[in-house]
Amino acid sequence: MPWGEKEIVLQSTWLVVLSWATLLVGLASTVVIVVDHFVLRYRQPVKVMEIVWPATALYFGPAGILAYRWWGRPQSARWLERHRTPPKIPRHAVTIIETLHCATHCVLGAIIATVVVFGANLQMFDKRLWPEFIGDYVGAVLVGFLFRYSTEAHRGGRRVRAAVRRFLKGDLLSVSVFEIALLGWLALIELTVFHETLPPSNPVFWLIVQIGLIIGFLAAWPSTQWLISRGAKGELVGAP
């Protein structure tokens, strides 16, 4: 059924209200961080984090704002001008920040895949589930590569190769674990609860995605910690 065509999906009122509430809280939390970056001028030294922190707030809501205030804002030049010395960042915070970085690949990949799959009404085996899954993963990988590519400007002609190498070494494992957890959750909900792929015009769709992103974050934490212990990650805190 084309995106936008009316569908009859019976859902509890409380579930719809909860979905709208979490969606609006996530959007409002994102706006708070964006305003802090670009209006109050607490710019991040690692520019990609100006995408990571707002994207985190989309699904973690106020918890994303707290994490940013604790560990992101103190990295900015404006904060350092006022307070001189940044607070010491605990080891677990480094893991959290690096996991959020990889999670953002999946957040943006999911948004891109949703727009493409539902906008073009893509189906496979009479389901939108499979094109969305493929699109989510491919989108996450492409976004991860672009993030790495943006940090390799000094490489010149070797920029693409360096970006691919850094992504494969530092991000692919965490992104893959995250996507397996996220897509497994989405499949479980579709196959056992709704028995169909909800359209993005339905707020419950976004509630399910938000929960899946949190599950993916928790699943990717151990692999990210392992990559940090091997020296493959850990450059986002205090880097220029």
Side-chain angles (χ1 to χ4, degrees):
M1 185 177 297
W3 187 10
E5 187 172 331
K6 186 174 181 180
E7 299 184 15
I8 299 176
V9 181
L10 298 179
Q11 295 163 0
S12 301
T13 301
W14 69 266
L15 180 59
V16 175
V17 172
L18 175 63
S19 300
W20 274 116
T22 55
L23 178 59
L24 292 175
V25 168
L27 291 172
S29 300
T30 296
V31 170
V32 168
I33 295 178
V34 170
V35 168
D36 203 62
H37 285 334
F38 300 104
V39 178
L40 302 182
R41 310 301 295 176
Y42 286 93
R43 304 299 300 271
Q44 295 291 287
V46 182
K47 294 306 178 185
V48 74
M49 296 306 293
E50 293 178 351
I51 301 175
V52 171
W53 288 117
T56 298
L58 278 174
Y59 59 102
F60 270 118
I65 296 177
L66 287 176
Y68 164 71
R69 291 296 184 109
W70 288 338
W71 306 313
R73 200 185 210 209
Q75 298 293 311
S76 67
R78 185 176 180 84
W79 195 97
L80 292 173
E81 288 175 1
R82 295 184 173 188
H83 302 277
R84 301 299 179 186
T85 305
K88 184 177 180 181
I89 297 181
R91 182 176 300 176
H92 73 272
V94 175
T95 304
I96 291 174
I97 293 170
E98 291 287 349
T99 307
L100 292 175
H101 176 265
C102 283
T104 301
H105 305 162
C106 303
V107 173
L108 298 180
I111 293 173
I112 294 168
T114 297
V115 171
V116 172
V117 169
F118 284 87
N121 192 30
L122 299 179
Q123 295 189 32
M124 185 180 296
F125 308 115
D126 294 324
K127 285 184 175 292
R128 296 190 188 119
L129 181 70
W130 308 118
E132 186 176 3
F133 282 9
I134 295 170
D136 279 9
Y137 186 78
V138 172
V141 170
L142 289 176
V143 170
F145 166 74
L146 291 175
F147 275 22
R148 289 300 185 182
Y149 183 81
S150 69
T151 64
E152 298 292 340
H154 63 285
R155 296 281 186 170
R158 297 177 296 171
R159 189 176 181 181
V160 172
R161 183 181 298 178
V164 169
R165 184 170 60 251
R166 290 190 68 190
F167 175 77
L168 293 177
K169 179 182 177 181
D171 298 323
L172 183 61
L173 176 61
S174 293
V175 167
S176 298
V177 172
F178 191 109
E179 285 291 324
I180 289 171
L182 169 61
L183 299 180
W185 162 255
L186 296 179
L188 176 67
I189 292 298
E190 172 166 338
L191 297 176
T192 64
V193 179
F194 294 107
H195 306 291
E196 64 177 326
T197 302
L198 297 178
S201 57
N202 189 326
V204 178
F205 171 88
W206 296 108
L207 174 63
I208 294 169
V209 171
Q210 285 175 306
I211 295 173
L213 292 172
I214 294 173
I215 292 172
F217 169 83
L218 295 175
W221 184 316
S223 60
T224 302
Q225 193 169 38
W226 180 75
L227 289 169
I228 292 173
S229 69
R230 290 175 56 87
K233 294 181 71 67
E235 71 273 18
L236 295 175
V237 179

